Amino acid sequence: MAALPPLNALHAFEVAARHLNFRLAAEELGVTQGAVAQQVRGLEARLAEKLFERLPRGLALTEAGRRFHAPLRRAFRLIEEAVDELSSDQQVVVSVTPSFASKWLVPRLPDLTDKHPDISVKIDARERLADFKGDGVDIAVRQGRAPFGAGLTSTPLFSNAFVPVCSPELAGEITRPADLLDHVLLNDTHGLWPLFLERLGLVGKPRVMSFSQTSLTIDAAASGQGIALAHEPLVATELASGRLERPLSDVLIEDLGFHVVSPAKPRQPELVALMKNWLLSQS
């Protein structure tokens, strides 16, 4: 039997073929983009076959690459399943956004470890969406509108209420909705302030400061930089501690709620069910 190509090169190709992008493959593998490209080039030379078409925006599999990837993916799945069955450790990988992790999940994790000390939890806190196919993710919490993809199930985690919040000092200056226009409005990537102002019947050009993450918007509001429009569960801790206050009782209901998302046929059904039930118990 001919000697097999190096396992690292096969793995690099398999991950790159799933993502059709060397950068995303490098993120999953924890190496540099150049290292992935080099492994793939070496594999192509070893096989004397071109596996990818290099495009200006990513990659495309050649016919040979498509034929090679399907059985290779099945082989890696068999290896993963064999390792899982042999391992005595029970680990569940949870994919969440950085803001959800810092503002909601992390403060509640001690309850999970107290109730299930035999379960190891890995938090994957990145904005990139989990694909559940080769990224090792078992279950995810994502904000958006269902459905989230074919072969996935989703369950609403908590309400869709967005509320204006600010520091206690600033809250004293806001007694009616029109006062919002006199202050800096802090936006995150969802950009819901214009919709909220429209529903309040307010017309004007407020000063706006935008942030790439919801957690940054919440922290800016707590430090007195302006007023944030935040998903209520994400600011529950700050509201309870008095770090933030709701200057108005008005609420925006929008279908950008948080959902627990997992494959319809998870690779670890018992762990996924346990994690899902715990998440829902915390809402």
Side-chain angles (χ1 to χ4, degrees):
M1 184 177 72
L4 292 175
L7 184 61
N8 284 344
L10 293 172
H11 197 194
F13 164 73
E14 193 282 316
V15 177
R18 269 192 287 109
H19 292 292
L20 294 178
N21 186 292
F22 284 150
R23 179 181 59 81
L24 294 179
E27 288 182 10
E28 180 175 327
L29 294 171
V31 299
T32 66
Q33 181 174 336
V36 174
Q38 183 177 359
Q39 290 280 12
V40 171
R41 283 196 300 269
L43 181 62
E44 289 177 318
R46 176 73 175 269
L47 298 174
E49 287 281 2
K50 187 176 181 181
L51 301 174
F52 288 114
E53 296 289 352
R54 276 70 169 176
L55 305 176
R57 294 177 179 243
L59 304 166
L61 284 166
T62 63
E63 179 59 31
R66 282 192 291 273
R67 293 199 315 269
F68 189 47
H69 180 246
L72 193 63
R73 179 65 199 126
R74 290 196 297 271
F76 274 107
R77 287 303 297 268
L78 287 173
I79 293 172
E80 293 165 3
E81 291 170 6
V83 171
D84 287 341
E85 289 179 8
L86 196 61
S87 174
S88 60
D89 296 330
Q90 295 191 82
Q91 183 182 74
V92 59
V93 180
V94 187
S95 172
V96 295
T97 64
S99 294
F100 182 85
S102 64
K103 296 301 180 183
W104 193 89
L105 181 58
V106 171
R108 290 169 171 79
L109 282 179
D111 179 78
L112 177 64
T113 55
D114 287 345
K115 291 178 178 175
H116 304 284
D118 55 329
I119 303 299
S120 173
V121 180
K122 179 181 177 181
I123 306 300
D124 184 355
R126 289 181 286 178
E127 297 288 355
R128 181 170 64 87
L129 295 179
D131 65 17
F132 300 103
K133 296 176 182 177
D135 52 15
V137 173
D138 295 295
I139 191 169
V141 177
R142 279 293 181 266
Q143 186 175 15
R145 300 175 177 90
F148 289 87
L152 301 177
T153 64
S154 64
T155 304
L157 181 57
F158 39 55
S159 72
N160 300 339
F162 291 81
V163 297
V165 293
C166 60
S167 66
E169 295 76 18
L170 198 56
E173 302 177 16
I174 303 168
T175 59
R176 58 194 181 114
D179 293 334
L180 294 172
L181 300 177
D182 297 327
H183 297 277
V184 176
L185 304 183
L186 307 173
N187 247 336
D188 60 13
T189 53
H190 298 108
L192 291 175
W193 268 119
L195 178 62
F196 188 51
L197 296 177
E198 178 185 334
R199 291 186 180 178
L200 289 175
L202 298 176
V203 179
K205 292 186 178 181
R207 291 169 292 161
V208 175
M209 185 183 300
S210 297
F211 296 86
S212 62
Q213 292 186 1
T214 300
S215 59
L216 299 176
T217 308
I218 294 171
D219 290 341
S223 65
Q225 296 182 41
I227 308 164
L229 187 59
H231 203 211
E232 190 171 18
L234 296 190
V235 291
T237 300
E238 281 86 352
L239 289 171
S241 68
R243 189 166 174 246
L244 285 174
E245 289 187 8
R246 287 181 58 181
L248 300 169
S249 60
D250 301 271
V251 175
L252 173 66
I253 304 297
E254 180 63 16
D255 62 346
L256 286 173
F258 281 89
H259 299 254
V260 181
V261 183
S262 63
K265 295 181 179 180
R267 64 188 182 92
Q268 301 189 92
E270 292 183 2
L271 284 181
V272 168
L274 181 151
M275 192 68 199
K276 178 179 179 179
N277 290 335
W278 178 81
L279 286 166
L280 295 175
S281 75
Q282 299 296 305
S283 62

